[in-house]
Amino acid sequence: MDRKRVVGIVGAGVSGLAACKHAIDRGFRPVVFEADETIGGVWAHTLESTRLQATTTSFRFSDLAWPASVTATYPGHSEVMEYLRSYACEFDLLKCIRFSSQVLGVEYLGAAEEEIMGWEQWSGGGKAFGAEKGGRWCLTVKDLKTGNIEVFQVDFLILCIGRHSGAPNIPEFPTNKGPELFKGKILHSMDYSYMDNVSEFVKGKSVTVIGSGKSAFDIAAEVAKVNGTAQPCTMIYRTKHWRVDKFSIWGVKLSYFYLNRISQLLLHKPGEGFLHYILASALSPLRWTITKLIEAYFKRSIPLQKHGMVPDYSFSFAMSSCLIAMLPEGFYDRVDEGSIVLKNSKRFSFYNDGIILEDANECIKSDIVILATGFRGDQKLRDIFTANWCRNIVAGSSDTSVPLYRECIHPRIPQLAIVGYSESLSDIYASERMANWVTHFMAGGFQLPSIRCMEESVAEWAKYKSLYNGKYLRRSCISTVNIWFNDLLCKDMACNARRKKGFLAEWFQPYGPADYANLSLRQ
């Protein structure tokens, strides 16, 4: 292998850091382009009250445990950032990162589109650097401090841009019903998270939060903490989601129901054989029983029914679709006391003094409206490419999942990987495994199958996501089949997929990042 190969990495969040570390381990020279002035991605700019949605045993890199000084089960924002900094320092990653460097566009230099579309093997030969014409990626990068624009060429490109930042999803409204009518202030949750003193911004104001995602709950709780019952915060939601106060029932962690090897037998899996299919079908009543047991527990321990917040879908669907999240501390206590007011509405519009709930014909007077309406991750992914042919195919169509082989390689785009775009209950867990697999492939550890075989695999995974993710299939959530997915990666890398010691541990203990420590070319 040529150890001077340059690997371009866009983004220094958890995925970018993992990709950088594993690229160094394989002898490459990574260059990480980060628009921000610090590492961390979305964690660099989030609410101070935000805490981990997974335990420290799940949200960690395989080769760096959390320090013993962190005793909280779900550490907060500052502790997460400190952990990420310690990882970057431990493996000397900061020297590879160009901060304040915004990638304006990327373009493939090498074979033309017509030739690429005619290839039977990825990159022309099934290898990371296999194109006969020595293809490279050209990155146009803007220095946000000086305004200078530079052009870089890299041998392989890894996009670690995520899907929950950068391109806010702003709802569209009919003429004369949009935000132009509103006399108050409107901002997206992304802008809110970047503010230095949010307490002063919302203090004494009538605040309405639009959305039902994790950020909507966090913002509503923050505003209620500042204003109390004197100026209640209104949260307008369209869909009810499973928001829980802990990831355990009767002291048993949910990971024992969903994240161990035995739980994989209860699910239909992409590319499964006949025996797995029969087992999953036969065990479906057990899966239904587990789901109902968990739902009954949370309905009893959290006042979901009292406040009309019981979701219309099952808890298992929430787990398989990455729709589960932690409640802010004391959220429903604030609802009970009146500092948070919950309003369900499918349609809303603006008027001079606030929001109109059109299906309830109710007006909500507001000084500030915060849109916690998510992000357009697919658009963000398309926009980074300058060539139309890449833009047209990279994210696929709206009625299927993003077409990535092993969740990180597009069968038709050479010398490029996308790491961290698919979701899991612990994104760092899935992202690091993908980064490890990609760099192993780059180092010549294995060759990709034909493009036809890759597209067939993508189609198999699309069927799974359609079945278990429903209308949320674009999230490409692999949470409840994470072990099955990791097994495939290990098989490609010729590594032992069984990472536990002993039969009982292998089948019944939850899997996590630490189980894949030191996964290398020699295993």
Side-chain angles (χ1 to χ4, degrees):
M1 179 189 71
D2 185 353
R3 293 188 174 272
K4 294 184 179 180
R5 295 278 195 183
V6 179
V7 179
I9 301 171
V10 182
V14 294
S15 300
L17 293 176
C20 182
K21 189 266 181 185
H22 285 285
I24 292 174
D25 286 349
R26 303 296 182 185
F28 295 104
R29 184 160 65 89
V31 181
V32 183
F33 300 92
E34 171 55 55
D36 211 335
E37 296 180 354
T38 185
I39 63 170
V42 294
W43 280 103
H45 299 283
T46 189
L47 310 182
E48 284 299 321
S49 60
T50 300
R51 54 182 174 149
L52 274 183
Q53 299 298 290
T55 63
T56 52
T57 56
S58 298
F59 188 95
R60 55 160 287 183
F61 295 101
S62 64
D63 40 17
L64 184 70
W66 282 73
S69 57
V70 178
T71 58
T73 305
Y74 305 102
H77 160 260
S78 59
E79 292 169 306
V80 173
M81 282 298 295
E82 187 57 38
Y83 173 71
L84 297 180
R85 292 189 193 100
S86 69
Y87 182 79
C89 293
E90 175 73 17
F91 298 106
D92 200 18
L93 305 183
L94 296 178
K95 66 182 181 183
C96 303
I97 305 174
R98 298 175 63 96
F99 292 107
S100 301
S101 298
Q102 180 184 14
V103 177
L104 301 179
V106 301
E107 183 177 7
Y108 183 68
L109 304 177
E113 174 189 356
E114 294 76 13
E115 183 180 349
I116 292 173
M117 292 304 157
W119 283 343
E120 295 182 359
Q121 297 289 329
W122 192 77
S123 280
K127 298 180 181 179
F129 311 99
E132 290 87 355
K133 296 187 177 180
R136 305 191 87 197
W137 281 92
C138 176
L139 288 72
T140 302
V141 182
K142 180 178 181 179
D143 187 318
L144 297 180
K145 288 185 176 180
T146 65
N148 294 336
I149 294 178
E150 293 183 79
V151 176
F152 296 84
Q153 288 192 15
V154 299
D155 299 297
F156 196 96
L157 179 61
I158 304 177
L159 299 181
C160 301
I161 58 178
R163 62 193 309 156
H164 298 296
S165 64
N169 177 37
I170 307 298
E172 296 181 355
F173 300 91
T175 306
N176 297 324
K177 289 189 175 183
E180 69 278 359
L181 300 177
F182 183 48
K183 295 188 297 184
K185 296 180 180 179
I186 303 174
L187 67 159
H188 190 269
S189 58
M190 179 181 71
D191 303 309
Y192 180 87
S193 67
Y194 271 78
M195 298 180 71
D196 292 328
N197 196 341
V198 294
S199 296
E200 287 300 316
F201 177 69
V202 302
K203 189 174 183 179
K205 301 293 197 316
S206 295
V207 179
T208 297
V209 180
I210 308 293
S212 58
K214 172 60 178 167
S215 60
F217 277 79
D218 285 345
I219 293 171
E222 273 200 3
V223 174
K225 184 178 180 180
V226 174
N227 289 335
T229 57
Q231 202 67 266
C233 174
T234 301
M235 189 178 113
I236 300 174
Y237 64 93
R238 182 173 60 184
T239 305
K240 293 169 282 189
H241 295 296
W242 286 100
R243 301 288 176 256
V244 299
D245 56 351
K246 55 188 174 183
F247 286 124
S248 64
I249 61 170
W250 295 295
V252 180
K253 295 179 181 179
L254 293 180
S255 54
Y256 281 93
F257 297 100
Y258 293 103
L259 303 179
N260 53 12
R261 191 172 290 280
I262 197 73
S263 69
Q264 308 283 281
L265 299 180
L266 279 62
L267 294 165
H268 290 293
K269 297 165 285 293
E272 66 184 357
F274 180 72
L275 180 59
H276 280 287
Y277 175 84
I278 292 298
L279 273 174
S281 299
L283 294 174
S284 59
L286 176 59
R287 184 170 184 264
W288 180 88
T289 302
I290 292 172
T291 298
K292 291 303 177 184
L293 184 69
I294 295 172
E295 289 176 2
Y297 177 88
F298 285 122
K299 287 177 184 178
R300 187 178 296 112
S301 62
I302 305 171
L304 298 175
Q305 292 175 314
K306 176 182 177 180
H307 298 291
M309 294 296 284
V310 178
D312 298 324
Y313 56 83
S314 72
F315 191 86
S316 286
F317 182 83
M319 292 292 288
S320 63
S321 302
C322 297
L323 296 175
I324 193 77
M326 289 281 286
L327 277 169
E329 291 185 16
F331 181 86
Y332 281 110
D333 292 337
R334 298 191 183 280
V335 176
D336 286 331
E337 73 180 12
S339 58
I340 295 176
V341 178
L342 301 173
K343 296 283 185 180
N344 180 238
S345 180
K346 300 296 183 185
R347 293 179 292 109
F348 73 94
S349 59
F350 287 89
Y351 76 110
N352 288 348
D353 296 321
I355 295 288
I356 300 174
L357 306 184
E358 296 195 349
D359 42 4
N361 198 24
E362 180 181 359
C363 295
I364 309 293
K365 191 172 181 179
S366 311
D367 299 312
I368 300 171
V369 174
I370 301 174
L371 301 174
T373 48
F375 296 86
R376 298 183 184 275
D378 292 350
Q379 191 60 48
K380 177 183 177 183
L381 181 59
R382 292 187 182 98
D383 286 347
I384 200 169
F385 294 92
T386 58
N388 286 331
W389 70 272
C390 288
R391 289 189 175 193
N392 292 337
I393 66 173
V394 65
S397 60
S398 59
D399 60 350
T400 188
S401 58
V402 178
L404 300 177
Y405 177 72
R406 297 294 191 256
E407 300 301 310
C408 49
I409 295 285
H410 193 291
R412 297 285 178 178
I413 304 181
Q415 294 171 240
L416 175 136
I418 302 171
V419 173
Y421 199 73
S422 298
E423 297 186 33
S424 187
L425 295 177
S426 174
D427 289 341
I428 195 172
Y429 176 29
S431 294
E432 191 191 6
R433 298 280 56 76
M434 294 179 205
N436 190 195
W437 181 87
V438 167
T439 55
H440 189 118
F441 163 61
M442 289 162 50
F446 59 91
Q447 187 169 321
L448 292 177
S450 68
I451 289 176
R452 180 181 61 81
C453 289
M454 292 169 70
E455 290 177 337
E456 288 175 355
S457 175
V458 168
E460 284 285 345
W461 279 84
K463 289 179 183 178
Y464 162 81
K465 293 167 189 173
S466 178
L467 177 63
Y468 287 102
N469 300 165
K471 67 179 182 179
Y472 301 100
L473 81 171
R474 294 292 291 177
R475 298 175 72 118
S476 293
C477 179
I478 60 172
S479 59
T480 49
V481 289
N482 224 141
I483 298 174
W484 179 265
F485 174 72
N486 289 344
D487 286 353
L488 295 176
L489 301 187
C490 288
K491 181 180 178 181
D492 292 340
M493 298 168 65
C495 296
N496 183 13
R498 303 299 176 99
R499 311 298 301 172
K500 302 284 190 181
K501 293 182 179 180
F503 175 84
L504 292 178
E506 179 61 44
W507 282 96
F508 294 98
Q509 283 188 2
Y511 259 80
D515 293 309
Y516 296 92
N518 303 315
L519 198 66
S520 70
L521 284 166
R522 294 180 298 277
Q523 287 188 293

